[in-house]
């Protein structure tokens, strides 16, 4: 008969100690350690991406601004109005600097090789060239170019607003504020232009 302690029977047949239970403890400790590392890595990744803002949107912004620079550069020889040509040159200088800054910040979003090709091709402008060729044929190039440029700048500014609001990274916020100021300056000059 087994002795009873406080109404419960003592079990003398259990294997509560020995080499097998020590091995189980070691496995549990090691598993717990690796589990903790994985959880910390996931939390760190989530917090890091929240702090930096959405990387895909930032890449889109960079590609869209680069497309704007390409438009401004490619159309400079077609412009007839001297004031518009001056505005276009100023836009090229300002926007090129903005693209350089955006490209330097891409590694903050895990893009060390530049904007991914899929995003870059998605942001390629496919309509402006046809509009501008048609406008050149009918003699309204400067007016249409001014409109196209304004539309493209508005598109960049809207995306910049979204990315800036989502990011808490000070360098990104500064770059976007500068870009928005540059776009606002060119838009102001275009609005005062008489074509």
């Amino acid at each position: 008969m087994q002795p009873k302690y406080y109404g419960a029977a003592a079990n003398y047949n259990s294997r509560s100690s020995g080499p097998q239970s020590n091995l189980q403890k070691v496995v549990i400790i090691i598993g717990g350690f690796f589990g903790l590392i994985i959880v910390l890595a996931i939390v760190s990744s989530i917090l890091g991406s929240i702090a930096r803002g959405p990387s895909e949107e930032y890449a889109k912004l960079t590609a869209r601004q680069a497309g704007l620079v390409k438009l401004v550069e490619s159309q400079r020889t077609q412009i007839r109005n001297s004031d518009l040509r001056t505005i276009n040159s100023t836009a090229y200088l300002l926007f090129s600097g903005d693209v350089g800054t955006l490209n330097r910040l891409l590694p903050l979003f895990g893009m060390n090789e530049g904007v991914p090709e899929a995003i870059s091709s998605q942001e390629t402008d496919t309509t402006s060239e046809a509009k501008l060729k048609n406008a050149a044929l009918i003699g309204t190039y400067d007016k249409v170019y001014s409109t196209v440029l304004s539309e493209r700048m508005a598109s960049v500014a809207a995306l910049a607003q979204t990315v800036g609001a989502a990011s808490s990274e000070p360098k990104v916020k500064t770059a976007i504020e500068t870009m928005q100021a540059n776009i606002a300056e060119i838009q102001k000059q275009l609005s005062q232009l008489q074509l």
Side-chain angles (χ1 to χ4, degrees):
M1 183 158 157
Q2 295 183 356
K4 291 185 180 182
Y5 297 102
Y6 303 106
N11 188 357
Y12 290 109
N13 295 329
S14 72
R15 293 183 172 178
S16 61
S17 63
Q20 186 176 10
S21 67
N22 285 340
L23 181 62
Q24 287 175 340
K25 288 179 185 178
V26 169
V27 169
I28 290 172
I29 290 172
I30 290 173
F33 178 73
F34 283 117
L36 179 64
I37 288 175
I38 290 171
V39 168
L40 289 176
I42 291 170
V43 169
S44 173
S45 173
I46 291 170
L47 291 177
S49 66
I50 289 171
R52 290 187 305 264
S55 61
E56 185 174 332
E57 294 300 308
Y58 185 83
K60 284 181 181 180
L61 177 63
T62 304
R64 197 172 291 180
Q65 184 71 357
L68 183 58
V69 169
K70 184 177 177 184
L71 171 73
V72 168
E73 181 181 24
S74 68
Q75 302 304 315
R76 65 185 171 171
T77 59
Q78 301 294 325
I79 299 170
R80 300 291 172 235
N81 182 286
S82 62
D83 292 333
L84 182 56
R85 195 175 304 127
T86 301
I87 293 169
N88 194 65
S89 296
T90 303
Y92 178 74
L93 293 173
L94 294 175
F95 298 162
S96 294
D98 293 339
V99 168
T101 302
L102 293 173
N103 280 324
R104 282 191 298 279
L105 296 175
L106 280 171
L108 291 175
F109 295 92
M111 291 176 262
N112 296 326
E113 303 297 321
V115 175
E117 184 60 36
I119 292 174
S120 186
S121 63
Q122 178 184 355
E123 290 299 319
T124 300
D125 179 26
T126 58
T127 60
S128 297
E129 191 173 331
K131 285 181 188 177
L132 294 171
K133 281 184 180 179
N134 188 41
L137 291 173
I138 60 174
T140 59
Y141 182 84
D142 287 354
K143 186 172 184 80
V144 171
Y145 175 69
S146 176
T147 302
V148 166
L149 183 59
S150 292
E151 290 169 353
R152 295 283 303 277
M153 287 188 302
S155 173
V156 171
L159 184 55
Q161 181 69 31
T162 301
V163 172
S167 179
S168 62
E169 174 67 40
K171 290 178 183 179
V172 172
K173 286 197 172 291
T174 301
I176 289 175
E177 288 169 1
T178 300
M179 181 184 358
Q180 289 173 320
N182 291 341
I183 289 172
E185 177 58 32
I186 298 301
Q187 285 176 328
K188 177 182 169 191
Q189 290 178 23
L190 284 174
S191 70
Q192 296 170 348
L193 185 65
Q194 299 294 323
L195 294 176

